[in-house]
């Protein structure tokens, strides 16, 4: 039986339709913060995963984009496809490879390459009351400078020390635990947040270096801009308004680079000192 | 024929603390220019020859002809290296 769920992802209405119960369970679980009950208008994007005699087909708006013989691979691919499609086609936003969280009127953006520890730090900060915008993508509305949340469950890789430290267990709905041993952790999400109305904004470029001491250095405006926009997926969408706001916002008092090796140590420093 | 210089298209500009920040939207690169370079950069918003840029620049900073040429050429060389200039002839 085909099941359909509706989501609001990056301000775009999406439907996710599948006749595979495992896939439905999985996406219903990791996207639960963004599921919407009623679909009042036509979805901008229709994602479909169809199981036909153990061949798995992925469609976007009824166009075939992938064919798989393994359901786990198909689920993993569909998750990547959804994010990539929405980020690249969000006409009114830019997307940075960065996580972000808010607490009260404070905003922190954590930028870094893959495996720089964004998700780990997001998880640790949410344990201290910070609300998750996203652990991976910072989408910014180019007209309003609002950050658009994408509070998917946080992905924790199997070799992450947090797994033992916090006794993280695989959920039964998490099929990708069987794929690559990953875990997902639910965190409380936040609403849209305007970076211009936050009382304090912190931009932190993460630089994970094994065995290093934690060391912060301030970033000047140019370095901060290069760091934040260097990871931008769809920079052609940026507006003069947003660029001017970023220039005025970013500088030594708001932007820093940190070398670290222990995420827990860094999280403690952030919570006790830097994000106060 | 004189070489004329003009900024390429798709640049976003913002000023802060006497610096000019420029985003090259096509390439996703950000540059910053100090007050000297900022003036020369802004003079390139309209098509101009080097001589015209030097003349305008000297009217801002009251420097000698030699210094004017030196500064303008240095900045134009940088702007060219960054790919921020279009060149044509008049």
């Amino acid at each position: 039986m085909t099941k359909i769920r509706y989501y609001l992802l990056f301000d775009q209405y999406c439907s996710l339709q599948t006749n595979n119960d495992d896939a439905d369970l999985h996406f219903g679980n990791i996207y639960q913060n963004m599921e919407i009950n009623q679909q009042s208008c036509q979805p901008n994007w229709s994602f479909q995963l169809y199981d036909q005699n153990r061949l798995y087909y992925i469609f976007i708006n009824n166009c075939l984009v992938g064919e798989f013989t393994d359901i786990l691979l198909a689920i993993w691919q569909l998750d990547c496809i959804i994010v990539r499609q929405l980020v690249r086609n969000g006409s009114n936003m830019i997307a940075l490879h960065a996580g972000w969280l808010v607490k009260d009127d404070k905003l922190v953006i954590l930028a870094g390459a893959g495996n720089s520890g964004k998700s780990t730090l997001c998880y640790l900060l949410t344990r201290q009351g910070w609300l998750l915008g996203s652990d991976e993508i910072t989408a910014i509305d180019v007209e309003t400078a609002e950050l658009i949340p994408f509070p998917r469950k946080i992905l924790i890789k199997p070799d992450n020390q947090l797994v033992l430290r916090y006794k993280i267990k695989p959920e039964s709905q998490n099929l990708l635990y069987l794929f690559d041993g990953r875990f997902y952790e639910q965190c409380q999400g936040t609403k849209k947040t305007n970076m211009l109305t936050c009382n304090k904004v912190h931009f932190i470029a993460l630089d994970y270096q094994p065995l290093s001491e934690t060391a912060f250095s301030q970033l000047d405006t140019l370095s901060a801009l290069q760091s934040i926009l260097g990871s931008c997926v769809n920079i052609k969408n940026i507006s003069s308004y947003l660029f001017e706001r970023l220039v005025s916002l970013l500088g030594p008092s708001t932007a820093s680079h940190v070398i670290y090796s222990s995420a827990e140590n860094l999280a403690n420093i952030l919570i006790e000192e830097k994000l106060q | 024929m004189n070489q004329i210089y003009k900024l390429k298209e798709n640049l976003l500009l913002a000023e802060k603390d006497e610096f000019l920040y420029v985003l090259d939207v096509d390439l996703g690169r950000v540059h910053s220019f100090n007050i000297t370079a900022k003036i020369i950069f802004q003079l390139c918003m309209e098509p101009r020859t080097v001589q015209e840029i030097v003349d305008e620049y000297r009217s801002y900073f009251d420097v000698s002809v030699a210094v004017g040429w030196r500064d303008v050429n240095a900045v134009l060389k940088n702007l060219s290296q960054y790919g921020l200039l279009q060149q044509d002839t008049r």
Side-chain angles (χ1 to χ4, degrees):
Chain A
M1 185 180 141
T2 300
K3 293 180 179 172
I4 185 162
R5 294 177 186 267
Y6 297 102
Y7 298 97
L8 186 60
L9 307 176
F10 298 114
D11 266 357
Q12 298 168 72
Y13 286 107
C14 307
S15 65
L16 180 49
Q17 197 169 345
T18 181
N19 63 348
N20 181 286
D21 289 343
D22 291 338
D24 179 65
L25 199 64
H26 181 84
F27 285 102
N29 179 35
I30 66 170
Y31 287 174
Q32 65 180 253
N33 273 348
M34 297 167 285
E35 186 164 357
I36 50 178
N37 291 327
Q38 279 195 312
Q39 183 58 46
S40 55
C41 57
Q42 188 70 16
N44 306 105
W45 297 100
S46 163
F47 298 98
Q48 297 151 315
L49 194 165
Y50 282 118
D51 173 349
Q52 197 164 35
N53 301 323
R54 303 207 171 187
L55 279 176
Y56 305 95
Y57 300 95
I58 294 176
F59 296 85
I60 303 175
N61 292 348
N62 298 317
C63 294
L64 181 67
V65 294
E67 179 182 334
F68 304 89
T69 54
D70 183 326
I71 182 61
L72 298 180
L73 189 59
I75 290 172
W76 176 75
Q77 268 294 325
L78 179 54
D79 189 33
C80 298
I81 285 170
I82 290 171
V83 173
R84 194 165 55 226
Q85 191 73 11
L86 296 177
V87 163
R88 286 185 181 167
N89 290 286
S91 58
N92 215 32
M93 67 178 208
I94 60 166
L96 316 173
H97 194 194
W100 64 278
L101 306 99
V102 294
K103 186 176 185 183
D104 304 324
D105 56 355
K106 291 178 283 191
L107 163 69
V108 61
I109 297 175
L110 302 167
N115 294 319
S116 62
K118 296 185 295 296
S119 296
T120 303
L121 280 159
C122 284
Y123 177 74
L124 291 168
L125 290 174
T126 58
R127 290 181 66 89
Q128 298 297 323
W130 285 76
L131 302 177
L132 182 69
S134 171
D135 67 330
E136 191 180 356
I137 294 163
T138 298
I140 309 174
D141 186 308
V142 298
E143 302 300 334
T144 64
E146 279 182 320
L147 274 63
I148 305 165
F150 184 62
R152 186 173 54 176
K153 282 193 170 184
I154 291 182
L155 190 167
I156 308 282
K157 292 174 184 165
D159 57 350
N160 194 312
Q161 292 180 346
L162 298 182
V163 175
L164 290 176
R165 175 86 169 79
Y166 293 104
K167 299 183 173 60
I168 294 173
K169 301 267 190 297
E171 301 166 298
S172 59
Q173 307 99 314
N174 170 15
L175 293 188
L176 293 189
Y177 178 70
L178 303 170
F179 179 66
D180 58 6
R182 67 177 61 188
F183 300 84
Y184 286 103
E185 283 291 289
Q186 176 73 303
C187 297
Q188 193 172 350
T190 186
K191 300 174 190 169
K192 275 188 185 180
T193 300
N194 193 313
M195 65 168 80
L196 305 178
T197 58
C198 289
N199 192 29
K200 285 190 177 175
V201 176
H202 302 270
F203 169 75
I204 299 171
L206 299 173
D207 186 354
Y208 175 77
Q209 293 186 15
L211 306 177
S212 63
E213 294 289 318
T214 303
F216 281 85
S217 56
Q218 293 177 326
L219 288 176
D220 60 29
T221 301
L222 178 63
S223 302
L225 286 167
Q226 287 171 334
S227 180
I228 203 165
L229 295 176
S231 69
C232 187
V233 174
N234 39 6
I235 199 158
K236 285 186 167 51
N237 289 344
I238 196 168
S239 62
S240 286
Y241 172 79
L242 181 57
F243 182 62
E244 286 168 13
R245 301 288 85 74
L246 289 173
V247 168
S248 69
L249 197 63
L250 294 171
S253 62
T254 57
S256 51
H257 172 266
V258 61
I259 295 172
Y260 78 103
S261 60
S262 164
E264 290 199 81
N265 181 38
L266 175 57
N268 287 336
I269 294 171
L270 292 176
I271 291 161
E272 290 167 13
E273 298 173 32
K274 302 289 181 183
L275 303 182
Q276 286 300 316
Chain B
M1 284 195 294
N2 286 324
Q3 192 86 8
I4 57 171
Y5 295 88
K6 184 177 184 297
L7 293 176
K8 65 173 281 193
E9 294 176 351
N10 278 340
L11 300 177
L12 298 184
L13 316 179
E15 291 190 63
K16 182 170 114 176
D17 301 335
E18 296 191 340
F19 280 84
L20 177 70
Y21 296 90
V22 177
L23 172 62
D24 181 339
V25 178
D26 294 329
L27 300 176
R29 290 190 194 145
V30 190
H31 309 276
S32 74
F33 298 99
N34 64 16
I35 192 158
T36 302
K38 182 171 80 173
I39 295 297
I40 296 168
F41 181 94
Q42 289 168 334
L43 289 171
C44 295
M45 287 178 168
E46 297 296 325
R48 284 187 166 93
T49 63
V50 181
Q51 181 66 61
E52 288 167 342
I53 296 169
V54 171
D55 292 345
E56 290 285 341
Y57 175 71
R58 290 185 61 229
S59 72
Y60 279 98
F61 287 106
D62 191 23
V63 293
S64 67
V65 174
V67 170
W69 275 90
R70 183 198 65 192
D71 288 353
V72 168
N73 276 326
V75 172
L76 290 180
K77 186 178 171 189
N78 275 338
L79 294 178
S80 290
Q81 284 174 342
Y82 296 149
L84 297 174
L85 285 181
Q86 296 174 334
Q87 293 181 39
D88 205 345
T89 51
R90 185 186 284 169

